[in-house]
Amino acid sequence: MKTYWKFILSALLAVILTLCSYKLYYTYYVDFSLEARSIGSPATIAIIYHSPINPDSWPSMKPTSGQSSVGNKFQLLKFRIPVKKLDTMNVLLGDGTQTVELRQVRFAHQPTDITLKDTWLNNPPIEQLSEQDGTITIKPLTGQPTRLRLIESATTLKGRRSINWPTAILIWCVSSLVCFDLLGHHKKYQLTSEAI
């Protein structure tokens, strides 16, 4: 087989192998953001979430953009949640000693911000919620860690698809080299067999 055709065949085989390996470079995510500030000492902001695909898992995560510890000035925090489907999410708001204010709480590609109607409270409540001019205030009542609890209808979302192109290209390149090498060994084996 001529080198030209061997290269073409190697590239085609590498495409097939790369497509079969899509789980290595194909990811899903949900983008969520908010602006937060703490009244008093700094508060650490994080989220805890749940996906129906992994029903026994409740991962928590810090912001992927912005500082997790917020002071008395509003800071923008962004979270890229690595899920194919999301059905529950809470915003963790510190150790229960700080009053925290949130605004522009929203999931990307959703038409409206999250408001009080999208939240719920424990019974008896651990925190007190109020809203004014689009700013949600969460005040601790018991000293327990507080959170903004979002109702399921506000957090049931499908993740957006994303391709990690550097990883995909690397897989294709490695696959091409391996296939090219194997085709070369196949030719050597044919020549040896004919000589015998």
Side-chain angles (χ1 to χ4, degrees), residues 60-98:
S60 62
M61 69 179 295
K62 294 181 178 179
T64 47
S65 175
Q67 297 293 325
S68 60
S69 180
V70 298
N72 59 3
K73 293 183 179 180
F74 277 108
Q75 296 182 39
L76 176 62
L77 308 178
K78 296 181 179 180
F79 300 83
R80 176 154 284 188
I81 309 166
V83 290
K84 187 174 183 178
K85 291 182 179 178
L86 180 72
D87 64 2
T88 306
M89 195 193 79
N90 293 173
V91 182
L92 307 178
L93 301 170
D95 59 11
T97 61
Q98 311 96 338

Side-chain angles (χ1 to χ4, degrees), residues 94-131:
D95 59 11
T97 61
Q98 311 96 338
T99 295
V100 176
E101 292 184 341
L102 306 176
R103 68 184 184 189
Q104 296 183 14
V105 183
R106 69 181 307 159
F107 290 97
H109 314 294
Q110 292 294 93
T112 58
D113 291 350
I114 287 171
T115 63
L116 276 191
K117 67 179 177 60
D118 303 310
T119 67
W120 62 277
L121 291 170
N122 269 1
N123 188 17
I126 295 172
E127 54 273 312
Q128 177 184 341
L129 303 183
S130 61
E131 184 175 12

Side-chain angles (χ1 to χ4, degrees), residues 30-192:
V30 172
D31 279 337
F32 174 74
S33 65
L34 55 82
E35 291 185 10
R37 73 174 177 182
S38 174
I39 309 300
S41 59
T44 300
I45 310 296
I47 62 170
I48 185 169
Y49 61 92
H50 180 266
S51 171
I53 296 174
N54 298 305
D56 297 325
S57 178
W58 285 86
S60 62
M61 69 179 295
K62 294 181 178 179
T64 47
S65 175
Q67 297 293 325
S68 60
S69 180
V70 298
N72 59 3
K73 293 183 179 180
F74 277 108
Q75 296 182 39
L76 176 62
L77 308 178
K78 296 181 179 180
F79 300 83
R80 176 154 284 188
I81 309 166
V83 290
K84 187 174 183 178
K85 291 182 179 178
L86 180 72
D87 64 2
T88 306
M89 195 193 79
N90 293 173
V91 182
L92 307 178
L93 301 170
D95 59 11
T97 61
Q98 311 96 338
T99 295
V100 176
E101 292 184 341
L102 306 176
R103 68 184 184 189
Q104 296 183 14
V105 183
R106 69 181 307 159
F107 290 97
H109 314 294
Q110 292 294 93
T112 58
D113 291 350
I114 287 171
T115 63
L116 276 191
K117 67 179 177 60
D118 303 310
T119 67
W120 62 277
L121 291 170
N122 269 1
N123 188 17
I126 295 172
E127 54 273 312
Q128 177 184 341
L129 303 183
S130 61
E131 184 175 12
Q132 185 176 2
D133 298 327
T135 298
I136 300 173
T137 302
I138 303 95
K139 182 179 180 180
L141 296 177
T142 65
Q144 299 179 59
T146 54
R147 59 178 66 185
L148 184 69
R149 307 163 200 275
L150 305 178
I151 60 176
E152 191 170 325
S153 61
T155 59
T156 300
L157 299 164
K158 289 184 178 180
R160 296 177 66 83
R161 293 175 290 186
S162 176
I163 296 176
N164 185 329
W165 284 108
T167 301
I169 292 170
L170 178 63
I171 292 172
W172 181 84
C173 290
V174 171
S175 299
S176 296
L177 292 173
V178 170
C179 291
F180 191 82
D181 187 55
L182 289 175
L183 289 173
H185 282 298
H186 178 68
K187 182 178 179 182
K188 289 178 182 178
Y189 176 77
Q190 282 184 322
L191 291 173
T192 303

